[in-house]
Structures are given as C-alpha cells and as structure tokens.
Amino acid sequence: MTTQENYYFKPNVIIGPLVDRWYAWTHLISPATGAMNVVERHLKIMNSYIQSPTIHEAAVKNPKMLGGPFMDYHPRRVDDIKALKEEIHDKQANAIAFATAVKELDAMLKSKAKGASLEPLYEEVPELLKGYVELVYDLNNNPSYRFFESLLYHSEFYSKDSQSIALWETNNDERPFCLSTPQLDDKEVLHLDIPFDHEGIDALSKMKRTPGSIDEIATLLGVKEEQRELFNSFFTTKEHPTYKKYNGEKARMRYFGHACILIETKDVSILVDPLISYYGYESSVEHFSDIDLPDVIDYVLITHNHQDHIVLETLMPLRHKVKNIIVPTTTSGALQDPSVKLAFENIGFTNVIEIDEMQEIKFENCTITGLPFTGEHSDLNIRAKSCFHIAINELSFLFVADSRVMEPKIYEHIQKVKGNVDVLFLGMECAGAPLTWLYGPLLTESISREHDQSRRLAGCDCNKGMSLVDIFKPKEAYVYAMGMEPWLEFISSIKYTDESPAIIESNRLLDECSKRGIIAERLYGEKELLYDYEKSKKGQEKESAEIAG
C-alpha cells in the first residue's frame, strides 16, 4: 500500500481500550476500584485458568456458564497467561499493595471502632493509605471510610503505564465475554502502549470521516516498523457514507441498540448511554452504526456506572466530537461509588458536567433534568446513577434506564414537578446478576449465597414498570436496555429464550399497554421515530411516524 495518499480509517476497526490487557471500563480507571479488580478479579481468574485450563475451555462452551469467570482461551495459552500475570504483578505492585491495605483497614475498623472517637485510629490506618482516607461513622455508629479519590489519581496508585489500545478489524459480532478474558497477542491485533488520553486516539478516530496520512498517524501513535503492515491494513481509500445533518422540523429519535438513544432536532443532538455497533460487516440484525451519528454531538448523557452503559470502546473514538458529557454526581468517596467525572477527566475528556437529582440543564428550547434512579445496584449505597427527563418545548422523554421502582411514590413526587411524559423508555432485565457478579471484587468479606442471590442487578418487572406507566401516563412506552442485540453479548453475556423472566415480564407490560391504547414495543436492532415538538399538548396529539425498525 502506498502511503503518500490520504486514507480513511476503516469503519469496522475496533479501537479497544485495555488495562493490563483486560477490557477497560470505569471500575478499572478509578484507582481504588481498579486495584480491587486487579487482585480479586483478574489475578484470581488467571490463577484459576493456569491451574485448570481445560475446565475453562469446557465452561465457555456451556451456555449456562455465560458471563462466568472463565477464560475463553485454548489450554495452549497457559504460558501466555503466566507471562501476563507476572507483568501485572510488576506493573501493578502498588495497586496490589493498595488492595491488601484496604482489607487491613476494613478489618481494623470492624475490630476497634466501637462508637468512641475515631481520631486515635488514624494512627492504625495502614501506612500506604494514610492521607488518602477519612474515617467516619454513620448515625448508628457503624464505622466506615471514604477515599479522597481526586488525590488517588495523583498518586502512584493510578498507573497510565497499564493502559493500552488494541486495534483489530472485525467482520462479525462474535467476541469472548470481556470481563473474564484478557486480550493476548494475536497476529491480527495491533497493540499500542499509549494512555487513554493520548491525542493520537482522537486523530485516528477523525480519519473515519476525514482522510489523512497513514505515515503521520503512525508516527503520532508510535507504531513500530514491524507493525506497519498490519497497521496499514486498517485503512482504505474508499470514502465512507457521509452523515447528512438532520434539519427536519420534528424531533427524531433513533435507537442504536441496548440503552443507546439519539435525540435530534435541527438545533441539538443528545446521545444517551452510547454503545454503538460497527459499520462495514454483515450482521444478523439491521442496526445503526457510528456512520449514523452527527459530526458534532451536543450532549452525551450517562445514566449509571456499569460496563454496558459507560462503554469506553464507543466513547473514546467519539471524544473529539462530543461538546458536553453529562454524568451523575457523586462525592461519596465510597469504594463502591467512584466518581464518573474524575474517571472521564483522567482519560482525556473535557467539559464533563455532573448533574444531581432534580437539577436542570437548559439550552435552546431543551431542558435536561436528572431524576432519582433507584435499585439495580444490589442495595449498595451508590449515588452515581441518574434517570433523565428531556423536554423539547412541550415534548417530553423519560429515560429510566435500569432503574427498579423500589417505591413508586418517588416517581409520584417527580410527576407533580415534571408532569406527564410523552415517551417512556424503561429497562426490564428483571432477573439480573447477583451482587458478586459485578461488585464481588470490592467486598472485603464473603457474603452468603442466599444474600448474594437476593441482591441483584435487576431492572423493572411488569408490575413495577406499569407503576411508571400509571404515574406518567405516556402515549408511547418502549422497553430497552435489555442487552439483546448480538453485538452486546461480549459485554452483557445475555441470551434470552421465550421462558426468560425478562421476556415474559416485558411481554406482559406490552400487552397491558396495548389494552390501554398506549403504543408499546420492546426495542431491538434499530428504530427511528419522528415527533412534532412544536405543537402544544393542550388538546392536540403529537404525530409519531415510524420510519424504520
């Protein structure tokens, strides 16, 4: 390939962010949660694989084991995993020591903090953690601690050296489950040892729409000479389809899969929970891709800090085109509740705005309001979660995401403030994984199986979902955030059948809405709708026209 011409970056090349060669999500960015995941997830899975690779090989072939702690590699990769383990022990020595110190701190407080002043116990805080934690009681004299998280990002516990990027061309939706399988060397995968805030990631991403020099981008990214042949194969002279800016008189809603919704008017674009599939390969499901995104995205909204709602693989290539990113606020400093804002800012995002419950952000003829988000976090005290109400003139959308309606009166109070809504989006993955599936690495003591199974990462069932319908009286109700699309399986590990609780419960809700004359659908693949936002609600019904889906 001659590199003197200008080339486009192929639209089906994945820019995969990795930490220690493991799929990067926000709990691997925050120093405290990152340390706990290194020790209690990554190293444990690697040790298990090294000891019994054939068990892992058999488990990943069993549909009942989807999403389990099993590495999707042939036993012959044992030596590679041993080498990776040694590298992690070297690079993450500080993080490993940090995780050990957290357990020591927790044990010390449980043993010695009995209601008297905590001040003398600062002397007994592990030396490693001194200056990074505050010791506290709740109002019932239960001891705990909070991290000064912003300081941790400036300490030896935040290691950019562990960050890297993997580039590879994908031709299907098949990928190993990302939380249990690291990315080892592969002849078709190019690894770049650059941090996530590297300017080359933005420059490379821009080349999907604006052609440029392969030589220049290779130099910027530090591509080695022996990597050039593979790197060059990621580019083409073929121009990609261009995005035509939406200039219609209505509001356009596009569903991109899972919880990703794009709301556009001629004046503004709002993208909720970005998780975008790729263009340029055959898929079993029709879907929008990143070529269907605006060249400038005014607002990205993040509902909560789970790996299927904050998808760095999608967000980092979009970083150069996002004007503002709105995230739920938290200043708790709790281990289980890291700051989303700090995580984004430390990997190169600017203009990150925190939004609190019932706080409004107004612009043009649009208002975004953060709303309480309850449940779906295994009863842990987590504040970094927000539902969103979007109003464009008199037209209103309510995004409930995975919120589980633990107490309907919360939303009754909200309805008194915000009124009814036109369109409701609610997640109904109502079975959910147990507490330890996601938060297990953060626990300093084991939990009983009974308690673990009872505390789940679950959204609404039919009854809880219908309580929202009863309260907000939408004209349209859409079930989303189900993790059903094939390009979601690597991150959600979900495969439904007709007997799955989420399918049964969402079918019940759709039937009930239909009986009431409410347009209702479980979204899948792609969908596009137009809404007239110029009309008043008073005595007039807005028009809704289905374009595709």
Side-chain angles (χ1 to χ4, degrees):
M1 175 186 289
T2 303
T3 59
Q4 298 303 311
E5 305 175 53
N6 281 339
Y7 287 83
Y8 291 92
F9 188 51
K10 289 182 179 178
N12 61 325
V13 176
I14 294 174
I15 303 177
L18 304 174
V19 173
D20 299 321
R21 291 294 186 96
W22 288 80
Y23 190 80
W25 62 297
T26 43
H27 273 214
L28 298 188
I29 304 301
S30 175
T33 54
M36 301 303 287
N37 273 275
V38 167
V39 173
E40 299 296 328
R41 188 188 301 276
H42 298 167
L43 290 178
K44 282 188 174 181
I45 291 175
M46 286 190 286
N47 285 335
S48 173
Y49 172 82
I50 290 167
Q51 292 171 8
S52 305
T54 55
I55 291 178
H56 283 247
E57 183 182 32
V60 295
K61 295 176 181 178
N62 185 346
K64 294 181 180 180
M65 299 293 188
L66 274 176
F70 303 105
M71 201 174 293
D72 195 355
Y73 280 121
H74 189 277
R76 65 174 176 267
R77 302 305 299 261
V78 165
D79 287 342
D80 295 322
I81 294 299
K82 286 181 179 178
L84 178 60
K85 176 186 168 183
E86 290 304 312
E87 182 179 339
I88 291 174
H89 271 286
D90 181 43
K91 280 189 174 181
Q92 293 282 29
N94 291 324
I96 293 169
F98 183 96
T100 301
V102 167
K103 289 186 177 182
E104 293 174 359
L105 172 64
D106 194 69
M108 183 273 288
L109 287 175
K110 288 174 180 175
S111 171
K112 298 187 177 182
K114 302 297 183 181
S117 171
L118 291 170
E119 187 171 348
L121 296 184
Y122 278 90
E123 289 296 323
E124 300 194 39
V125 170
E127 189 66 30
L128 193 73
L129 299 181
K130 286 183 177 179
Y132 292 115
V133 295
E134 179 182 18
L135 308 183
V136 296
Y137 284 120
D138 68 13
L139 292 177
N140 292 310
N141 294 323
N142 297 307
S144 187
Y145 54 89
R146 62 179 293 267
F147 290 109
F148 298 112
E149 192 179 359
S150 55
L151 289 179
L152 290 178
Y153 276 104
H154 291 279
S155 74
E156 67 270 25
F157 306 119
Y158 180 58
S159 174
K160 284 189 179 183
D161 290 342
S162 291
Q163 298 176 3
S164 64
I165 297 295
L167 304 177
W168 75 94
E169 189 170 352
T170 182
N171 292 305
N172 55 58
D173 294 318
E174 299 296 323
R175 293 166 67 177
F177 179 58
C178 66
L179 296 189
S180 59
T181 303
Q183 178 70 64
L184 297 177
D185 286 344
D186 185 291
K187 63 180 181 179
E188 296 180 352
V189 178
L190 189 151
H191 289 276
L192 298 174
D193 290 325
I194 58 174
F196 297 156
D197 60 359
H198 195 283
E199 62 178 334
I201 297 172
D202 296 324
L204 181 64
S205 302
K206 290 176 183 178
M207 289 178 69
K208 283 194 173 184
R209 298 204 175 172
T210 304
S213 164
I214 298 180
D215 290 336
E216 290 179 6
I217 191 65
T219 299
L220 181 59
L221 290 169
V223 178
K224 299 173 183 176
E225 187 59 36
E226 61 268 24
Q227 296 175 311
R228 279 300 300 267
E229 183 177 358
L230 178 57
F231 184 70
N232 290 357
S233 72
F234 297 148
F235 296 84
T236 178
T237 55
K238 181 180 179 181
E239 184 176 358
H240 308 327
T242 56
Y243 174 82
K244 184 177 181 181
K245 186 180 185 304
Y246 178 69
N247 286 308
E249 295 301 317
K250 300 178 186 291
R252 183 170 73 177
M253 183 282 286
R254 281 182 163 180
Y255 171 70
F256 280 73
H258 195 47
C260 183
I261 304 285
L262 175 65
I263 303 291
E264 291 176 283
T265 71
K266 59 185 178 182
D267 301 311
V268 68
S269 58
I270 302 170
L271 186 63
V272 183
D273 283 348
L275 198 173
I276 309 296
S277 184
Y278 295 89
Y279 167 80
Y281 68 89
E282 293 296 325
S283 176
S284 59
V285 180
E286 290 294 321
H287 61 273
F288 293 119
S289 67
D290 57 355
I291 65 167
D292 300 298
L293 291 175
D295 293 323
V296 175
I297 301 170
D298 294 298
Y299 290 88
V300 163
L301 311 185
I302 300 296
T303 59
H304 61 296
N305 197 5
H306 285 167
Q307 80 283 358
D308 57 330
H309 292 261
I310 301 181
V311 185
L312 300 183
E313 177 185 313
T314 289
L315 281 161
M316 287 173 57
L318 296 181
R319 184 168 57 196
H320 67 281
K321 63 170 64 180
V322 174
K323 292 176 66 176
N324 302 281
I325 183 165
I326 299 177
V327 303
T329 187
T330 184
T331 55
S332 71
L335 179 61
Q336 75 276 8
D337 193 24
S339 167
V340 179
K341 184 174 189 287
L342 283 174
F344 274 120
E345 288 179 339
N346 278 277
I347 59 172
F349 285 83
T350 57
N351 297 326
V352 185
I353 303 167
E354 286 189 320
I355 193 168
D356 214 333
E357 295 160 350
M358 301 309 294
Q359 181 180 352
E360 295 183 342
I361 295 175
K362 296 184 177 182
F363 53 95
E364 301 292 339
N365 59 345
C366 183
T367 301
I368 297 172
T369 307
L371 302 178
F373 181 137
T374 61
E376 214 261 335
H377 287 69
S378 303
D379 300 320
L380 294 172
N381 184 12
I382 292 175
R383 289 199 60 210
K385 53 186 182 178
S386 180
C387 300
F388 286 102
H389 180 281
I390 299 176
I392 305 172
N393 286 353
E394 299 297 326
L395 173 67
S396 58
F397 301 89
L398 177 58
F399 295 91
V400 184
D402 294 332
S403 181
R404 185 171 174 89
V405 183
M406 312 297 281
E407 172 51 73
K409 286 191 177 295
I410 295 172
Y411 295 97
E412 290 177 12
H413 297 321
I414 293 170
Q415 192 276 339
K416 291 176 184 177
V417 178
K418 305 303 292 185
N420 293 339
V421 300
D422 292 299
V423 189
L424 170 67
F425 296 90
L426 71 156
M428 294 190 68
E429 211 293 275
C430 56
L435 162 69
T436 55
W437 185 80
L438 195 65
Y439 293 106
L442 308 184
L443 303 181
T444 55
E445 290 186 351
S446 60
I447 185 173
S448 72
R449 178 175 172 79
E450 178 185 3
H451 290 168
D452 188 29
Q453 293 295 320
S454 72
R455 296 169 60 181
R456 306 191 75 87
L457 298 155
C460 287
D461 58 17
C462 177
N463 291 338
K464 294 183 183 298
M466 285 307 300
S467 70
L468 290 173
V469 174
D470 291 336
I471 292 167
F472 290 103
K473 299 176 175 57
K475 296 180 176 67
E476 302 177 20
Y478 296 103
V479 177
Y480 80 145
M482 298 282 276
M484 296 174 63
E485 287 83 9
W487 58 89
L488 263 296
E489 189 177 326
F490 86 101
I491 204 167
S492 71
S493 73
I494 290 175
K495 279 190 176 181
Y496 294 121
T497 68
D498 291 341
E499 288 73 41
S500 298
I503 300 300
I504 293 171
E505 292 295 313
S506 57
N507 282 342
R508 286 181 57 209
L509 182 136
L510 299 180
D511 290 342
E512 184 60 33
C513 286
S514 180
K515 291 176 184 177
R516 300 186 187 190
I518 299 170
I519 297 171
E521 182 181 340
R522 185 172 55 236
L523 298 177
Y524 181 71
E526 70 175 45
K527 193 173 186 69
E528 181 175 299
L529 296 170
L530 298 178
Y531 297 95
D532 190 338
Y533 62 90
E534 297 295 345
K535 291 185 177 181
S536 169
K537 289 182 179 178
K538 297 178 181 179
Q540 293 181 323
E541 292 187 8
K542 90 184 167 309
E543 298 173 353
S544 175
E546 182 173 337
I547 305 301

